Amino acid sequence: MTAAPDLFTWEFAADPYPAYAWLREHEPVRRTRLPSGVEAWLVTRYADAKQALADPRLSKNPAHHDEPAHAKGKTGIPGERKAELMTHLLNIDPPDHTRLRRLVSKAFTPRRVAEFAPRVRELTDRLIDGFAERGEGDLIHEFAFPLPIYAICDLLGVPPEDQDDFRDWAGMMIRHGGGPRGGVARSVKKMRGYLAELIHRKREALPAEAGPGEDLISGLIRASDHGEHLTENEAAAMAFILLFAGFETTVNLIGNGTYALLTHPGQRARLQESLAAGERGLLETGVEELLRYDGPVELATWRFATEPVVIGGQRIAPGDPVLVVLAAADRDPERFADPDTLDLARRDNQHLGYGHGIHYCLGAPLARLEGQTALAGLLTRLPDLRLAVDESELRWRGGLIMRGLRTLPVEFAPAGR
């Protein structure tokens, strides 16, 4: 047997898939010391991953972690504990999870998302207009990052004049150590303070009846005022996690997806031909394939065993953290034919990019809309889009859960010339 690969190095961050292939074959459920010092089980096979994601004995509540108190802050979003933002959908179990999810799910119905489509197209065009005449740009900083920020701010009901503040705070939150020390926690605290104030202002001005397309924060307030018992902390935590989960995943979907298309010219040409013919089918299956092939969430968020659990033949003790490696499961040859091949027309594609079970991503319909609209806009308006640097010069952001590029420099023929 070949030696176990090194995990969590810079080389691993650039291309973790060979290491995950080794783990799937030799140690599909492996106890590993993470860079933070916390020990956790990594689950890498598709069948095991799907089982773990739906297993009620694996709790989302960090209170079940058996590590000493000083280590508990290392298993979630930096700063959320101090900012009293722990009571959100990623950290709770039924029945609270069921109650909170029901409240917010109304914002992500297919109808509400369809109504939002023109706004996403408008944002996409406005952002491309910002760099199209230059003939170059950084698709992360100028496009993939601001698009979902402005979209989720609109959905939540953040006034336009405050949205650039959100953009700044969110930028600090996804740097994962690339910014000043403590910057993430400070940004979380500022966002928490702003959301509490916004909830208070909206509650004061809330009309008696909901109007069409009412923003999400107003809807949460209305629900809590009608007997659903949503505390102000829960409302702030809910708005926070929708912003946090709703933008970083989409930043990475657009960034990773565009990068995959730029490095697979045959697949990209097929998609451009399909879009030019006015077809949507390949765009829809293509976004699902990009989610599977190099998705935005590398590891599912933390779970903690509440009793002995056996996964893939390994006995996991109560209190042990479990991390399901979605990126590994979605390249499992036992589940997907030619898993390392990008095939935008792939039909049998039950990927785990948005999770599985009761914690399946609530915002998946919105993320799909944003991903499809963004990629269609780029490929249609900038048809000769190409990388401006060698692939080896690209850097991936640090951090455990998400997978995304720091920058994506591109070149193209300037618009209007």
Side-chain angles (χ1 to χ4, degrees), residues 29-51:
V29 181
R30 181 195 197 189
R31 191 171 172 92
T32 305
R33 182 176 291 276
L34 305 174
S36 64
V38 174
E39 290 202 353
W41 293 93
L42 299 182
V43 179
T44 52
R45 285 183 182 165
Y46 183 92
D48 295 336
K50 201 167 178 182
Q51 173 204 330

Side-chain angles (χ1 to χ4, degrees), residues 335-399:
R335 177 59 188 83
F336 300 100
D338 300 318
D340 296 322
T341 299
L342 181 70
D343 176 9
L344 298 183
R346 189 184 293 269
R347 292 283 173 191
D348 178 20
N349 197 357
Q350 296 294 311
H351 63 77
L352 299 176
Y354 287 126
H356 173 67
I358 64 167
H359 289 282
Y360 182 82
C361 176
L362 197 60
L366 178 62
R368 286 189 168 100
L369 168 69
E370 290 173 347
Q372 291 172 13
T373 307
L375 292 173
L378 286 173
L379 294 178
T380 303
R381 293 193 53 190
L382 310 173
D384 63 336
L385 192 68
R386 60 192 176 272
L387 278 175
V389 297
D390 189 79
E391 287 178 53
S392 63
E393 293 180 45
L394 295 174
R395 292 291 174 265
W396 296 80
R397 282 200 301 273

